Amino acid sequence: MHVYIAVPVTLALIYRAYSHKSLTPAGILVAALTAVVHAIHPWSIFFALLVVFFLAGTAVTKVKHDIKAGLTLPSSGASGEEGARTHIQVLANSLVASILIFLHYRQLKIRSRTSFASEDCWAYKGDLLVVGIISNYAAVAADTFSSELGILSSSKPRLLTSWNFRQVPPGTNGGVTLPGTLAGFVGAFIIALTSVILLPFCTLYQNFEGEAIERSLGIEGETAWSLQEKLALVLAVTIWGGLGSILDSALGGWLQASVVDKKTGKVIEGTGGKKVLVHGSGKPDDTKIDNASRRVESGLGILDNNAVNLLMALIMSVGGIVFASYVWNNPLRSIFQ
């Protein structure tokens, strides 16, 4: 994308993160490098998705922050503020997308040298990597919206991984509520809408000299996208992203331990998304709190929150690519062409 847009926007976001202490120094560095990877791609859409995800995620995090802060306990024992996000948390949400963006950038460059194909637009049923990138941000946005807004639900969460969907304390990994689930689909819709507005869809059939010949809708088997197909893309991305939030809940409820303070009945959250250990359990430990007052509410404690988020993003990105490959009858080997 254009340097004169990417540079000031990146600097503004870095300053915002620094002034609001929303990221650690290492987190700011990794976020800046992530922005660079997104910005070097000739299409502006991926950098825009990163910015939209950051701003929308920050906005929902601030919604009734004081109330949310009182619903769980930080593992440090302090009350009130949530710590700055670390570089690991940044990577958990953006690493998969960054890798796919780099691969697509490389694909476009190779294609421009070996064929008459243009890198200026996305053909209907075309590059599968684009689907994976959009799927990543739809899923992580849905997860953020679901987590930040679902915890405010007036009804207690139900544990998705339990046989009877039993009630659990707010903040429990794997706990779901109807408002939280719906909020997840709203987050995915924001990414889907941003995508359909900013993606460089092919709208005209072009000959080898790049001259527009005639209108050629994708529904007729050609390269251009019709309005119907764009709307279908919005719907598909919204649903897929919302399912990503549900998958994250399932993975969290199964693989991530939720530790509860026995005295208050509140979930203890690990600093920076790390594990919270219970004394003698082999799970993460924090000596600042009397571990005898803790119990495991659910989960195996195999992964921490960051690993769960990264795994979910990987599954939904790769899954989106595979699903699009099947529906569009576009072989997966096209990724390497």
Side-chain angles (χ1 to χ4, degrees), residues 5 113 132 188 241 249 307:
I5 295 177
R113 293 197 301 264
S249 295

Side-chain angles (χ1 to χ4, degrees), residues 183-311:
F185 282 95
V186 171
F189 174 74
I190 292 174
I191 296 298
L193 187 61
T194 302
S195 299
V196 81
I197 291 174
L198 297 179
L199 270 168
F201 294 104
C202 293
T203 56
L204 293 172
Y205 184 81
Q206 297 179 331
N207 63 12
F208 285 151
E209 286 71 37
E211 298 174 346
I213 298 178
E214 60 181 340
R215 183 72 179 177
S216 179
L217 300 182
I219 201 169
E220 297 170 354
E222 302 295 348
T223 62
W225 290 73
S226 68
L227 176 61
Q228 176 185 347
E229 289 151 358
K230 292 179 181 178
L231 293 177
L233 179 66
V234 171
L235 179 61
V237 171
T238 300
I239 294 175
W240 191 252
L243 291 177
S245 174
I246 296 174
L247 174 63
D248 187 87
S249 295
L251 293 173
W254 179 35
L255 300 174
Q256 184 181 352
S258 292
V259 180
V260 172
D261 176 67
K262 293 180 180 179
K263 183 178 180 180
T264 62
K266 296 180 179 180
V267 171
I268 302 172
E269 295 189 333
T271 304
K274 295 179 180 178
K275 293 180 180 180
V276 177
L277 290 185
V278 179
H279 181 69
S281 67
K283 300 184 179 63
D285 201 349
D286 193 321
T287 57
K288 293 183 179 180
I289 296 179
D290 179 11
N291 295 304
S293 67
R294 298 177 175 185
R295 64 178 175 82
V296 177
E297 177 68 31
S298 62
L300 299 176
I302 298 174
L303 302 178
D304 63 12
N305 187 64
N306 299 320
V308 167
N309 289 342
L310 179 60
L311 178 60

Side-chain angles (χ1 to χ4, degrees), residues 1-246:
M1 68 175 296
H2 297 299
V3 175
Y4 62 81
I5 295 177
V7 171
V9 172
T10 301
L11 292 176
L13 293 177
I14 290 175
Y15 175 76
R16 188 184 188 286
Y18 174 78
S19 60
H20 288 72
K21 297 181 179 180
S22 56
L23 293 174
T24 63
I28 291 176
L29 176 60
V30 171
L33 293 175
T34 299
V36 170
V37 173
H38 285 60
I40 62 174
H41 195 284
W43 299 357
S44 62
I45 173 61
F46 304 132
F47 184 81
L49 288 180
L50 177 66
V51 173
V52 169
F53 169 67
F54 175 77
L55 295 178
T58 301
V60 295
T61 299
K62 289 184 176 180
V63 174
K64 297 185 177 180
H65 179 268
D66 293 339
I67 296 177
K68 290 189 288 189
L71 295 175
T72 59
L73 295 175
S75 61
S76 63
S79 60
E81 298 186 10
E82 179 183 353
R85 294 185 179 273
T86 68
H87 61 291
I88 300 299
Q89 289 173 296
V90 173
L91 289 173
N93 288 314
S94 62
L95 179 60
V96 174
S98 296
I99 293 173
L100 295 179
I101 287 170
F102 177 78
L103 292 176
H104 188 246
Y105 170 77
R106 181 175 177 272
Q107 184 182 52
L108 290 181
K109 291 303 178 183
I110 293 176
R111 188 183 301 162
S112 66
R113 293 197 301 264
T114 59
S115 71
F116 293 99
S118 171
E119 66 178 39
D120 295 333
C121 68
W122 185 31
Y124 179 65
K125 298 184 179 181
D127 300 342
L128 296 175
L129 289 172
V130 176
V131 177
I133 299 164
I134 298 173
S135 296
N136 177 97
Y137 279 111
V140 297
D143 177 50
T144 300
F145 273 62
S146 180
S147 300
E148 294 294 340
L149 300 180
I151 196 172
L152 296 171
S153 175
S154 58
S155 58
K156 272 198 170 185
R158 298 277 180 173
L159 186 60
L160 188 64
T161 53
S162 65
W163 67 272
N164 59 349
F165 294 98
R166 62 182 175 87
Q167 289 186 344
V168 289
T172 301
N173 300 304
V176 296
T177 63
L178 180 58
T181 302
L182 294 178
F185 282 95
V186 171
F189 174 74
I190 292 174
I191 296 298
L193 187 61
T194 302
S195 299
V196 81
I197 291 174
L198 297 179
L199 270 168
F201 294 104
C202 293
T203 56
L204 293 172
Y205 184 81
Q206 297 179 331
N207 63 12
F208 285 151
E209 286 71 37
E211 298 174 346
I213 298 178
E214 60 181 340
R215 183 72 179 177
S216 179
L217 300 182
I219 201 169
E220 297 170 354
E222 302 295 348
T223 62
W225 290 73
S226 68
L227 176 61
Q228 176 185 347
E229 289 151 358
K230 292 179 181 178
L231 293 177
L233 179 66
V234 171
L235 179 61
V237 171
T238 300
I239 294 175
W240 191 252
L243 291 177
S245 174
I246 296 174

